[in-house]
Amino acid sequence: YELRTGSSFFAKRPARPFPPPFSSAVPPVSAPMCRDAFRNFHFNRSFSRKRFLRGITNGDDAVIFSPYYIGVADGVGAWNTRPQGHAALWSRLILHFWALETEQQVLRFNSSNYQPPTEDCSLLSPISALQASYETTTAITKSSPFLGTTTACLALLLPPTTLLLTNVGDSQAFVFRPSEGKFIARTEEQWHWFDCPRQLGTNSPDTPEGVGKVVGVQVKEGDLVLVATDGLVDNLWEAEVVRELTQWVETGEDEEQMAEKLVQKAKLVAGDPWGLSPYMERAVEQGLGIEGGKWDDISVVVARCRRK
């Protein structure tokens, strides 16, 4: 199988520009990447050539997708009040280096082009890849310093039919099976306390190896994989998302249209000061007088499992 993807975004405010040498732009095919990753990366402030990063920036969120993996990361916006705070850079770096490490793991089993491995998939570990990404991001941002933290939620497809969902924080991943009309797998949100998710980065005690959780599921052709930052799940209940996915399957729209519909529905709730939302419900449970939705960046990737 492979993943056919669609994505949609809403940003509550523009991202802070990335500091040199990094570029927040979507990289051209021939662009120089930060490829000398992990243990051999040396950051040089005098290096003027732009280094492009995998993925897309949406406000403080970042998104990445390919035929074999998808992911989102939610940079914690409070860091933008600090002179050296770069929430959007942290979310993008975490996904960039996770993707590179994942592909490096795959290449250990394949001598040429990036293809899913054909042998021992157990040696592919999304947690170890995320840990390597976290360590690299920490190393290259520490001396500058570029401060920030981010959540991370990832889905990795392994042959023949194994899907691994990995999560740190309050973004979420779901697998929807149309024939059953329900989610057959999902990650759980992780918080330290209300509105403070587990997160990777500056001054945080959390690490992928320490708190990262993996959920494995066997997928079938036609299953839908959804990864989204908390801008979606704080504003739409799971039943609403299931209803939208079910209607989408019936109408035959493409993945891009489905992602856009989910983002627009979440945005309506987010901007409604009197709307009912999961965020409001959790706040009330904590004794807080919060009403309406949560105005936040919203990043959604929808993928359909299909035969190659």
Side-chain angles (χ1 to χ4, degrees):
Y1 290 143
E2 64 180 2
L3 301 174
R4 187 174 69 186
T5 61
S7 58
S8 185
F9 321 107
F10 165 73
K12 64 181 179 181
R13 60 172 176 264
R16 173 176 284 188
F18 286 8
F22 303 110
S23 172
S24 61
V26 177
V29 174
S30 60
M33 291 278 188
C34 290
R35 292 188 182 277
D36 44 347
F38 312 108
R39 299 153 190 85
N40 299 317
F41 188 96
H42 299 285
F43 181 76
N44 184 349
R45 288 191 67 115
S46 66
F47 184 58
S48 60
R49 192 181 187 195
K50 285 185 178 180
R51 312 309 284 179
F52 290 91
L53 302 172
R54 297 280 186 91
I56 300 169
T57 290
N58 172 51
D60 294 324
D61 290 356
V63 172
I64 197 165
F65 44 85
S66 84
Y68 303 107
Y69 59 75
I70 57 177
V72 295
D74 182 358
V76 178
W79 286 106
N80 294 327
T81 63
R82 303 279 291 274
Q84 295 297 315
H86 290 279
L89 176 63
W90 263 85
S91 62
R92 187 79 171 270
L93 284 171
I94 285 289
L95 292 188
H96 170 83
F97 286 121
W98 177 81
L100 290 182
E101 177 66 8
T102 296
E103 292 173 10
Q104 287 181 11
Q105 288 185 357
V106 170
L107 286 171
R108 295 188 186 112
F109 301 89
N110 296 271
S111 59
S112 57
N113 294 332
Y114 171 38
Q115 296 290 335
T118 57
E119 297 180 0
D120 188 0
C121 296
S122 66
L123 297 179
L124 276 174
S125 169
I127 287 289
S128 67
L130 188 57
Q131 180 70 28
S133 172
Y134 162 73
E135 292 173 0
T136 303
T137 302
T138 299
I140 67 174
T141 57
K142 188 173 183 179
S143 60
S144 302
F146 302 141
L147 310 178
T149 51
T150 183
T151 69
C153 190
L154 313 155
L156 174 63
L157 181 62
L158 303 177
T161 60
T162 299
L163 185 74
L164 299 180
L165 309 177
T166 307
N167 188 53
V168 174
D170 59 353
S171 298
Q172 283 192 274
F174 305 89
V175 180
F176 177 76
R177 180 155 291 166
S179 62
E180 299 181 19
K182 65 180 183 180
F183 292 129
I184 61 168
R186 63 194 293 278
T187 60
E188 297 294 333
E189 297 163 294
Q190 299 175 323
W191 296 288
H192 288 285
W193 54 81
F194 175 73
D195 218 21
C196 180
R198 290 197 178 276
Q199 54 202 269
L200 306 174
T202 309
N203 297 335
S204 174
D206 302 324
T207 67
E209 291 181 345
V211 303
K213 301 296 182 182
V214 176
V215 177
V217 62
Q218 298 301 311
V219 294
K220 297 180 179 179
E221 187 172 13
D223 284 352
L224 306 177
V225 187
L226 168 69
V227 294
T229 55
D230 65 333
L232 180 78
V233 297
D234 278 344
N235 289 300
L236 295 181
W237 275 282
E238 283 191 23
E240 295 179 287
V241 177
V242 167
R243 184 168 61 248
E244 291 300 318
L245 292 175
T246 301
Q247 292 175 353
W248 171 63
V249 171
E250 293 172 351
T251 58
E253 296 175 311
D254 64 26
E255 292 76 15
E256 202 81 16
Q257 291 171 312
M258 183 67 256
E260 176 65 16
K261 280 190 174 181
L262 289 173
V263 168
Q264 291 305 316
K265 283 188 173 292
K267 181 182 174 183
L268 284 175
V269 178
D272 184 353
W274 313 113
L276 300 177
S277 70
Y279 179 74
M280 181 198 72
E281 186 177 74
R282 286 194 293 267
V284 171
E285 290 173 352
Q286 298 296 317
L288 302 174
I290 294 176
E291 295 181 325
K294 183 183 181 184
W295 190 248
D296 202 355
D297 300 325
I298 307 171
S299 301
V300 174
V301 182
V302 176
R304 184 198 297 268
C305 298
R306 66 174 185 177
R307 294 187 184 277
K308 291 190 295 182

